[in-house]
Amino acid sequence: MAADSAVILVGDHPAALADLTTPLRGRFARAGWSCRIDHPFIRVFAPTAGRLELTAAFDGHGVLLGEVFDAEGRPLASDARRTLSSRPLDVARAQTVVGSVWGRYLLVRRTAGAVTVLRDPSGALEAMTWRRSGVTVIASSADPVLDPLLPDDLEIDLDGVAALVDRPGEFRHRPALRGLTPIAAGALAAVDADGMRSDLIWTPAGAYRAGRRTPPPLREAVERTVRAMVGDRSWVAELSGGLDSAVVAAALSEDQRRRVTAWVNHYVDQPEGDERAYARAVAERLGFGLTEVRRDDLRIDEARLARSAEGFRPGVNDLDLTYNDDIADRIDATGAWGSLTGQGGDAVFFQMPTPLIALDEIRERGLRTRLSVIHRIARWTRRPLWPQAWWGAWREHRTSRATWDHPWLSDLRGVPPAKALQISALAFCQTFQGPAGRSRRGPCLNPLLSQPVMEAGLAWSAVDLTRGGRDRAAVRAAFADVLPPSLIARRSKGELGVFYGEAVSARLDFLRDYLLGGALAEAGLISPDLDGLLVREALLWRGGFQKVLGLALTEAWLRRWTERLRRRRA
């Protein structure tokens, strides 16, 4: 079960809630769950040893799940949490909440005719909803203990599975399960017997429009947010050797860095995948030891794939099964609360080298466009200065928008193209908030994907984030005095393609049987050319390991949910 697992049940009337949940108390108890909040209209079940903060409203008609902080990064006290969950929750109130507090939370409020749910803009906690027997169900995980609560008409959406196969490894907002409705990050949903109505309270485009005239200091936003989320607990922290995890490490206070139980760097034998020199430089500069883990294999087998498949969507955040298992074991071994990463920084601080940045310069500055910026972007992206090259990039961008799948991307009014690209990258980063092997042992914090840090990165123009020709230039400058010069000046990124290609190649016999003889193939969803991809030479020279791993995770998910639904009907 995930460390952030919980299910909230809100009855139309007390008898409906009691009839549905009372017979299940024994099942929950045997699975290690208990009723953590028990009121006539609302019950919340969660793992007894779970790590998710739960607060009931004063009147028993609201619930707050997860951590919430004020604008200064102070956690809300118990009474403030109860007050927050006790107030009516409509669009105006949700806007006030999102504008005054932030965190990793779900806020649920019962009204006379519906249940309203506000999911925080980071999307750190899942929120899947459905109705059953006069009860609204809101789940933060798809733990099998919930199977008796799932809707009777739940079924696998093969068209949705086909979309997953078409773009394996990518985040899709809607699950390939008919009968379940997801709530988007930053949305307020009203659920009743007639279905769900949703309003986007927060979007990246809205954050860009609201903040672009007075963008906040990046370093201040990162430090305040990282320190608030980490608090006084102990964590296992990733230190990859890249910029983003180093920024998170630098943002911690000295006392918080001392409470990290392990600073972990995974490396491989291939030079392009060995970033220890940069990680060591950061560790030396910030004054802590480094745990170096040599990777020589990638665990891919049926049992481990099956454990990745308990989510509402394929476990694409579990793409590197061995890495996640190692972090999970370290959480257990050191008694840490969870894990800490720098994931999302590439999107928030703008790592993508794209000529679209030049179009943002023209769009945002008009007649004040700086030719020096255009020239630097042309050099960075290796494009000629001829207009035809730039318009080609614009056409490609417009074509790619048709494949974007997230409610955040439905309103890009007034957003220039490079900023739109950044927003699409942030939508994809919802992948990192999904379940993985490490998140089953403790919460996985991705502070660079928190609301305040995303808002800071969105308020800065793409031109200023890159200084018109350098990836993540603004955040490099912001942390230049605390991180080693070698890392600040670094222009390369770690590359594990060869390692993954060889690791997947070593499992080709298993993967070929698993995919070509599995549920996807039986449903007619495997492309005929897949067999040509499952060849060692193809994986090593042309790549494709991400597609293969993504398909394996999708196959595992389809097998697991087929079995879960079969057992329910039996």
Side-chain angles (χ1 to χ4, degrees), residues 293-342:
V293 181
R294 178 179 176 271
R295 299 284 305 279
D296 59 3
D297 195 8
L298 183 64
R299 181 178 179 184
I300 310 173
D301 58 49
E302 189 167 351
R304 182 59 183 85
L305 285 167
R307 288 201 300 276
S308 77
E310 297 291 3
F312 291 113
R313 305 175 184 84
V316 294
N317 197 28
D318 230 359
L319 199 67
D320 191 332
L321 306 166
T322 308
Y323 165 83
N324 283 311
D325 287 349
D326 178 74
I327 297 297
D329 290 343
R330 294 180 191 280
I331 293 171
D332 282 349
T334 65
W337 186 256
S339 59
L340 180 65
T341 87

Side-chain angles (χ1 to χ4, degrees), residues 363-381:
R363 176 87 167 266
E364 293 176 332
R365 296 179 66 89
L367 295 176
R368 297 179 294 113
T369 294
R370 297 162 292 185
L371 294 180
S372 60
V373 169
I374 306 297
H375 185 258
R376 287 199 300 272
I377 295 169
R379 291 186 61 189
W380 181 30
T381 60

Side-chain angles (χ1 to χ4, degrees), residues 410-481:
S410 61
D411 173 24
L412 295 176
R413 172 177 48 86
V415 177
K419 185 59 65 172
L421 177 65
Q422 182 186 22
I423 290 172
S424 74
L426 285 172
F428 173 80
C429 285
Q430 287 288 290
T431 295
F432 303 138
Q433 306 286 33
R438 62 181 182 271
S439 62
R440 297 182 185 94
R441 307 294 179 85
C444 179
L445 292 191
N446 302 305
L448 300 185
L449 292 174
S450 64
Q451 179 185 343
V453 178
M454 285 197 296
E455 288 178 345
L458 288 162
W460 282 61
S461 75
V463 178
D464 291 337
L465 284 172
T466 61
R467 296 287 194 267
R470 180 76 166 93
D471 77 274
R472 297 168 290 180
V475 79
R476 291 177 193 272
F479 284 88
D481 64 322

Side-chain angles (χ1 to χ4, degrees), residues 49-60:
R51 300 185 175 182
L52 189 62
E53 191 171 356
L54 307 171
T55 303
F58 288 114
D59 61 0

Side-chain angles (χ1 to χ4, degrees), residues 189-528:
V191 187
D192 59 23
D194 296 324
M196 187 182 90
R197 301 174 303 281
S198 184
D199 293 284
L200 281 171
I201 305 300
W202 184 98
T203 64
Y208 164 74
R209 290 190 290 261
R212 59 180 296 231
R213 297 193 181 280
T214 56
L218 283 180
R219 179 164 171 175
E220 179 182 325
V222 172
E223 287 183 340
R224 183 173 62 246
T225 305
V226 171
R227 291 176 184 182
M229 293 181 72
V230 168
D232 59 2
R233 290 174 172 143
S234 61
W235 303 85
V236 172
E238 170 190 276
L239 194 68
S240 66
L243 178 65
D244 302 323
S245 60
V247 164
V248 171
L252 295 172
S253 69
E254 290 187 14
D255 186 55
Q256 287 176 320
R257 284 197 285 267
R258 283 194 293 269
R259 283 199 295 273
V260 171
T261 61
W263 293 92
V264 184
N265 173 268
H266 289 84
Y267 70 96
V268 299
D269 290 339
Q270 292 84 3
E272 64 275 11
D274 186 351
E275 300 180 89
R276 283 178 295 169
Y278 297 103
R280 289 169 180 170
V282 173
E284 182 179 359
R285 182 69 176 265
L286 298 179
F288 55 77
L290 188 65
T291 299
E292 299 176 357
V293 181
R294 178 179 176 271
R295 299 284 305 279
D296 59 3
D297 195 8
L298 183 64
R299 181 178 179 184
I300 310 173
D301 58 49
E302 189 167 351
R304 182 59 183 85
L305 285 167
R307 288 201 300 276
S308 77
E310 297 291 3
F312 291 113
R313 305 175 184 84
V316 294
N317 197 28
D318 230 359
L319 199 67
D320 191 332
L321 306 166
T322 308
Y323 165 83
N324 283 311
D325 287 349
D326 178 74
I327 297 297
D329 290 343
R330 294 180 191 280
I331 293 171
D332 282 349
T334 65
W337 186 256
S339 59
L340 180 65
T341 87
Q343 288 181 315
D346 282 356
V348 174
F349 303 132
F350 213 103
Q351 185 273 333
M352 301 80 76
T354 170
L356 297 175
I357 300 169
L359 303 184
D360 280 28
E361 169 75 5
I362 297 168
R363 176 87 167 266
E364 293 176 332
R365 296 179 66 89
L367 295 176
R368 297 179 294 113
T369 294
R370 297 162 292 185
L371 294 180
S372 60
V373 169
I374 306 297
H375 185 258
R376 287 199 300 272
I377 295 169
R379 291 186 61 189
W380 181 30
T381 60
R382 299 181 181 180
R383 297 265 179 157
L385 287 171
W386 296 108
Q388 184 177 0
W390 305 88
W391 286 118
W394 166 249
R395 287 193 299 270
E396 292 173 9
H397 168 71
R398 293 296 298 180
T399 300
S400 71
R401 285 195 183 194
T403 67
W404 294 355
D405 173 46
H406 196 281
W408 282 353
L409 304 169
S410 61
D411 173 24
L412 295 176
R413 172 177 48 86
V415 177
K419 185 59 65 172
L421 177 65
Q422 182 186 22
I423 290 172
S424 74
L426 285 172
F428 173 80
C429 285
Q430 287 288 290
T431 295
F432 303 138
Q433 306 286 33
R438 62 181 182 271
S439 62
R440 297 182 185 94
R441 307 294 179 85
C444 179
L445 292 191
N446 302 305
L448 300 185
L449 292 174
S450 64
Q451 179 185 343
V453 178
M454 285 197 296
E455 288 178 345
L458 288 162
W460 282 61
S461 75
V463 178
D464 291 337
L465 284 172
T466 61
R467 296 287 194 267
R470 180 76 166 93
D471 77 274
R472 297 168 290 180
V475 79
R476 291 177 193 272
F479 284 88
D481 64 322
V482 290
L483 290 175
S486 61
L487 182 69
I488 296 297
R490 183 185 182 187
R491 290 187 173 271
S492 62
K493 281 180 67 69
E495 172 54 55
L496 293 173
V498 174
F499 167 75
Y500 284 123
E502 291 183 346
V504 172
S505 296
R507 298 290 187 274
L508 279 180
D509 288 344
F510 162 75
L511 287 166
R512 189 177 290 107
D513 291 342
Y514 188 72
L515 290 173
L516 299 180
L520 291 173
E522 184 177 351
L525 298 176
I526 289 289
S527 172

